[in-house]
Amino acid sequence: ATSFAGVPADTQFLLLELTSGKAALVVPLVQAPFKVTLKGEGEDLWAQLDSGDPAVLGDSALLAYVAVGDDPYQLCRDGARAAAERLGTFRVRRDKALPRLADWFGWCTWDAFYQEVSYEKVRQGLASFRAGGVEPRLLILDDGWQTVRKLETGAARLAGFAANEKFPGSVADTVKLAKLEYGVQSVVVWHAVHGYWGGIDAESLPAYGVEPASRRYSEEVLVHGPKWNEQYWGPEVGRPASAQLGAFYSDYHQYLVSQGVDGVKVDNQASVECLGAGQGGRVAIMQATRRALEHSTRTHFDGELINCMSCSSEMLYGTLDSSLTRTSTDFWPNIPASHGQHIYANAVVGLWFGELVHPDWDMFQSGHKAGAFHAAARAVSGSPIYVSDKPGEHDFELLKQLVLSDGRALRARDVGVPTRDSLFVDPTTEPALFKVVNRNTCGYVLGVFNTRHVEGDNLLSGSLQASDVPGISGDDFAVYLHRSGQLLRITRDQAVPLQLDSLEAEVATLVPLDAGVAALGLADKLNSGAAVLSAGWDGGAYLIQLADGGSFLAYSAIQPSKVEVDGAVSSHAWSAGRLTLAVTGAGQHDVRLLF
C-alpha cells in the first residue's frame, strides 16, 4: 500500500516507510476493556476500539505505541519492551524460556491422517520413519484422538478426558509405543482451547459449569470472514464458567500427565475473543483464559506448550510465561498459492510479534512438491522443525539436511525476519525475491525464496549481500550457497546474483572472515552454519567445535599445514580458499586447522 487507504480493517501491526527513508512503527494496543486495531479510510488512519461486550463501555483508552527511527528492527525491539512494561500482561520473548520440545525433530499426525489418526496409524508412521533412517524425537498427536460428542447442529464437543476407541489403553499405550519402541523423547497432544472445536459437552463433563456461549466476532474481523460466527464449528461454544477454567485445564492436564504426556498443543485460541459478551468483554475473557492455561501448563508440563491459532493481539499480549506460538495458517498441501504465502506470513509476523513470542512456522510434508521449499524456510526460521508426512511418503535425503544424528533439529538461534529490502514489498504478488535472515552461533543464515505463484514464466532475479543482515559488522565475509554449492569470498556490499523459479529457494550461510578463516559448518545440512558450536583462534591454530559429523566446509585464505579431528590428523582438500574434510561419527567433534 502507498497510502492509509490500503490498511485493512483489524490491522494489529503497522510498519511504514516514510519518504525520508526512516521507518514508522504504529502498534495498536490491548488494555482492558478495549482491544484497539487500525483501519485506513481515504487519507486517514483510524483506531478502532472494541470491548466485545455491549455492556462494557469506557470513556478513555490506551491506543497505540508509535515510534520513528532509522532501524525498523530496533524500533520493534524497543517498542515491544516498552509495551510490556506499560501493559504488564506479557513478557518479551527474550525474557522467556523456549520449550525443550523445540529442539527435537518432530512428526505431527495432522496432515498424515487428519482426524482418522489411531494407535495403529501412529505405529505405522513411526515405523516408516525408522525404515528411512530419520526418526522423530518429538511426536505431536493432533486432532482425532479425543472422545467427542456430535450434536444435532453438527458441532462436536469434548465428552471425556480419555482417548476414543481408536486408542486402546487411552493415550498411555501410544506414549509407551512412541517412547519405548521408537525412541521418542517428547509426546505432545493436541486439544482446543475449550476442549474441542465446539467446546465441552455439559452433560458429559458437568463439573465445569459449562454453558452455551454465542460467537460474536467484531465487525472488523467479519470484514475478512463474514460467516465466521456460524461457519466451521457452529454458532455456539460449550464454554466452562470463568471460575472453572483453572479447574478444567488442571484436571485435563493432570490426566494427560498420568498418561505419560509431556506437553500440549492448544488450538483455536483466537476464537476466545468472540466470547466476551456477558463475560466482561473480549480482553477480560482472554486474559482469564491465558492465566488459567499458562498456570496449568507451567504446573503440569513445565511450560511445554505450543500456542496455536493464536494470532489475535489480545492473546499475544497475554503471554506472560509461554512463548512458542504458531504464526501462520496451516500448511495446505492442496493449495499451491499457499506455500509462498506461508513463508511470507511467518516472517512478517515475526518482525513485531516475534518480539513477544517465538514463532512456530508449523509443519510441512517432506515428500510434497513444495517440501524442499518449506524445508529451506524452516532452516532459516528459528522455528521448531517438524513434518506431517504420511507413512511411506518421505524425502529422507531432504530430512537428513535438517536433522542431527541424535534427532535434534538444526535450528537457527533467533527469529527469522525479512531483510530490509523485503520489508515493504509483497513478494507473493510482486516480481521480487523474498529474503529472510537469522543468526547462528558463529555467523548468519539467509533464505531467498520465490514466493510468487503465477501461471507461466515465473523466473525471478535478485541478489543477496552481507549488508542484508541487520546490524552486521565487518568488511569481508565467506558465503556458502547451499543450492548451487558455491563458496565465495565477498565484501560487505558485494551483491551475489540469484535466479529462482516457482517454489525454489536458496539458503546462504554467511560468516565474517576472522584473519582469513571462516567456518561454514556442515555443507550437507541446509543451515550448515548452525552445526558450528564455537570457532576461533588459539595461537596459530583455528579451533572449531561441530555439533555432529558430516561434510565440513571452511574458507581459508591459505592452506593449513595440518588438520586434526578430535586430536588425530585428518586428510583434507583445499583449493582457492575452499577447505573440505569428512568428519565421521555421530556427536560433537573438535576440528583444528594448523597454520
Side-chain angles (χ1 to χ4, degrees):
T2 56
S3 70
F4 286 136
V7 178
D10 207 45
T11 292
Q12 300 182 129
F13 158 64
L14 181 62
L15 185 69
L16 305 167
E17 187 173 43
L18 306 180
T19 53
S20 65
K22 291 182 180 292
L25 175 67
V26 184
V27 183
L29 297 174
V30 175
Q31 187 178 61
F34 295 117
K35 170 175 177 167
V36 183
T37 59
L38 304 176
K39 181 177 74 169
E41 286 188 2
E43 297 301 312
D44 298 322
L45 181 66
W46 288 84
Q48 308 269 114
L49 284 72
D50 178 39
S51 74
D53 186 340
V56 176
L57 306 174
D59 56 12
S60 64
L62 179 65
L63 289 185
Y65 176 87
V66 181
V68 177
D70 294 316
D71 183 345
Y73 306 97
Q74 192 65 47
L75 285 179
C76 290
R77 283 192 294 273
D78 293 344
R81 193 165 290 280
E85 292 174 357
R86 179 65 182 269
L87 297 179
T89 55
F90 74 96
R91 290 189 295 152
V92 296
R93 169 180 58 86
R94 300 168 201 275
D95 292 346
K96 295 182 287 191
L98 193 60
R100 295 181 299 277
L101 64 88
D103 285 322
W104 295 115
F105 167 64
W107 176 51
C108 179
T109 61
W110 180 240
D111 293 303
F113 307 119
Y114 297 111
Q115 292 174 330
E116 300 307 311
V117 65
S118 67
Y119 170 91
E120 179 58 26
K121 288 180 178 179
V122 170
R123 187 196 64 77
Q124 292 172 6
L126 293 173
S128 182
F129 278 102
R130 172 165 288 180
V134 179
E135 297 191 60
R137 296 293 180 248
L138 165 68
L139 170 64
I140 302 176
L141 180 60
D142 213 291
D143 187 7
W145 71 272
Q146 293 169 296
T147 296
V148 300
R149 179 184 179 188
K150 296 286 183 69
L151 305 184
E152 291 182 1
T153 61
R157 294 182 178 171
L158 183 72
F161 292 163
N164 59 44
E165 68 281 355
K166 295 178 294 176
F167 292 85
S170 193
V171 180
D173 283 2
T174 302
V175 172
K176 291 175 184 176
L177 169 80
K179 292 185 176 181
L180 299 181
E181 296 187 34
Y182 289 97
V184 169
Q185 298 295 308
S186 179
V187 176
V188 170
V189 301
W190 176 99
H191 71 75
V193 68
H194 290 136
Y196 202 63
W197 298 109
I200 301 168
D201 182 57
E203 292 183 22
S204 304
L205 294 168
Y208 305 109
V210 175
E211 295 183 353
S214 297
R215 301 182 194 272
R216 296 180 181 175
Y217 280 104
S218 67
E219 293 181 7
E220 291 72 42
V221 169
L222 293 176
V223 167
H224 304 284
K227 298 181 179 179
W228 283 354
N229 281 338
E230 300 84 24
Q231 202 171 30
Y232 302 122
W233 309 299
E236 289 187 339
V237 181
R239 183 185 179 277
S242 293
Q244 296 299 317
L245 270 170
F248 168 68
Y249 288 131
S250 183
D251 291 349
Y252 201 2
H253 293 164
Q254 181 57 50
Y255 173 78
L256 293 173
V257 168
S258 76
Q259 299 289 295
V261 170
D262 301 290
V264 284
K265 173 184 177 181
V266 181
D267 209 338
N268 201 28
Q269 291 191 43
S271 71
V272 175
E273 72 179 54
C274 72
L275 303 176
Q279 301 292 328
R282 60 190 294 173
V283 178
I285 191 175
M286 181 66 83
Q287 290 180 347
T289 303
R290 292 300 309 167
R291 285 193 299 269
L293 177 62
E294 290 200 346
H295 180 267
S296 182
T297 53
R298 184 175 64 250
T299 301
H300 298 294
F301 300 118
D302 194 25
E304 296 290 292
L305 166 65
I306 304 173
N307 296 301
C308 189
M309 288 182 67
S310 304
C311 289
S312 61
S313 58
E314 61 259 64
M315 178 271 156
L316 293 163
Y317 291 128
T319 52
L320 270 171
D321 292 324
S322 66
S323 185
L324 190 58
T325 303
R326 200 185 78 183
T327 46
S328 68
T329 58
D330 290 18
F331 166 75
W332 301 107
N334 301 318
I335 304 177
S338 71
H339 302 298
Q341 293 166 354
H342 191 113
I343 278 73
Y344 176 60
N346 275 302
V348 169
V349 172
L351 191 63
W352 168 257
F353 288 114
E355 294 294 329
L356 281 58
V357 296
H358 196 103
D360 173 1
W361 287 37
D362 203 26
M363 65 199 83
F364 69 100
Q365 292 178 317
S366 68
H368 191 275
K369 179 181 178 181
F373 185 72
H374 279 277
R378 302 314 184 274
V380 302
S381 67
S383 164
I385 299 175
Y386 55 100
V387 295
S388 52
D389 292 1
K390 296 177 183 293
E393 299 182 16
H394 314 277
D395 184 338
F396 285 112
E397 292 307 309
L398 180 65
L399 292 178
K400 288 173 183 176
Q401 297 176 54
L402 295 167
V403 186
L404 298 173
S405 58
D406 65 359
R408 285 179 295 131
L410 206 55
R411 288 196 308 112
R413 302 319 303 163
D414 212 318
V415 169
V417 294
T419 58
R420 184 68 172 81
D421 58 338
S422 287
L423 285 178
F424 299 106
V425 296
D426 180 355
T428 65
T429 58
E430 298 175 43
L433 295 178
F434 184 58
K435 292 186 286 187
V436 178
V437 61
N438 207 327
R439 68 175 180 88
N440 292 318
T441 302
C442 297
Y444 305 92
V445 60
L446 287 117
V448 187
F449 305 90
N450 185 340
T451 58
R452 187 179 66 157
H453 178 74
V454 297
E455 298 297 329
D457 181 26
N458 195 28
L459 187 67
L460 295 179
S461 298
S463 65
L464 63 83
Q465 44 273 329
S467 55
D468 286 333
V469 177
I472 197 169
S473 59
D475 297 313
D476 292 292
F477 304 85
V479 60
Y480 173 61
L481 304 178
H482 189 277
R483 179 185 178 86
S484 68
Q486 295 181 83
L487 175 61
L488 305 170
R489 179 173 178 168
I490 61 172
T491 56
R492 180 186 181 85
D493 294 312
Q494 182 178 339
V496 178
L498 297 169
Q499 277 195 327
L500 297 171
D501 211 332
S502 296
L503 296 182
E504 287 186 347
E506 178 65 272
V507 178
T509 296
L510 179 75
V511 180
L513 286 177
D514 184 0
V517 178
L520 281 303
L522 297 179
D524 49 354
K525 304 298 183 184
L526 270 169
N527 182 5
S528 62
V532 178
L533 303 179
S534 64
W537 287 95
D538 181 14
Y542 194 77
L543 310 182
I544 306 109
Q545 186 178 54
L546 294 175
D548 208 356
S551 301
F552 175 69
L553 174 67
Y555 178 89
S556 180
I558 60 174
Q559 183 175 9
S561 59
K562 184 168 60 173
V563 174
E564 295 177 350
V565 177
D566 299 327
V569 176
S570 175
S571 60
H572 67 279
W574 181 91
S575 176
R578 186 183 186 118
L579 184 149
T580 59
L581 68 145
V583 179
T584 58
Q588 293 184 12
H589 296 277
D590 294 318
V591 176
R592 289 168 55 92
L593 311 181
L594 293 98
F595 295 88

